[in-house]
Amino acid sequence: MAAPNTNYWLVKTDPDDYSIDDFARDKSVAWVGVRNYQARNFMQNMKPGEAVIFYHSACEAVGITGLARIKRACAPDKTQFDAKSQYYDPKATPETPRWFCPELEFVRKFHRLIPLAELRAEKALSKMLLLKRGSRLSVLPVTTNEFDTIQGLAK
DNA sequence: GCCAACGTTGGC
DNA sequence: GCCAACGTTGGC
């Protein structure tokens, strides 16, 4: 899928695994565990300084919770080599890694969660990849307009 | 817990 | 390379 010159991104996380509050505490996190090739390819296009929308999925309150930025571009995801990790991939070796992850830096938690229903109701977001039927990717590009719209909703 | 949608695997 | 079976995601 083409993603030329995309400068904004969105990552999904199950807050039971890793929430915006965990992120606020840690300040910085290696975005390990993504095991989907399309998502991986998007991550490999992430450049330091680019903005990332933080989204809570698969939970009671689904929606956007805050912002991050890319701290470091992709490096091999260490969990793929760790047999004890839930993200272990027996087909990956340090010589030929399969999975990569960027380092994300915490920017801020929004004063309120922007619910998925509100995103769906927003005309300016009608073409957002996140909202596409059947969309399950946990890493997605976001357009400049979509990003600005979301920042507006957060106020 | 249900179910739609999608990705991956593996037999052929 | 096809495609059925299976596993996972994720909203509700």
Side-chain angles (χ1 to χ4, degrees), chain A residues 69-144:
Chain A
R69 79 166 68 89
I70 308 298
K71 188 175 178 187
R72 270 209 316 268
C74 272
D77 178 340
K78 292 193 179 115
T79 63
Q80 71 192 300
F81 312 127
D82 178 1
K84 290 188 296 255
S85 168
Q86 61 172 317
Y87 302 126
Y88 177 60
D89 183 343
K91 291 180 184 162
T93 67
E95 292 73 36
T96 55
R98 280 189 165 189
W99 306 109
F100 300 85
C101 62
E103 181 90 13
L104 301 187
E105 184 181 12
F106 178 76
V107 173
R108 74 171 158 278
K109 178 180 175 177
F110 286 156
H111 293 116
R112 67 182 189 99
L113 178 142
I114 307 171
L116 177 58
E118 189 174 335
L119 302 176
R120 289 202 187 280
E122 180 62 46
K123 229 184 234 162
L125 300 179
S126 61
K127 296 202 177 136
M128 200 178 177
L129 283 178
L130 172 74
L131 307 179
K132 260 181 84 175
R133 187 176 148 84
S135 158
R136 297 187 314 173
L137 279 184
S138 65
V139 178
L140 294 162
V142 172
T143 69
T144 308

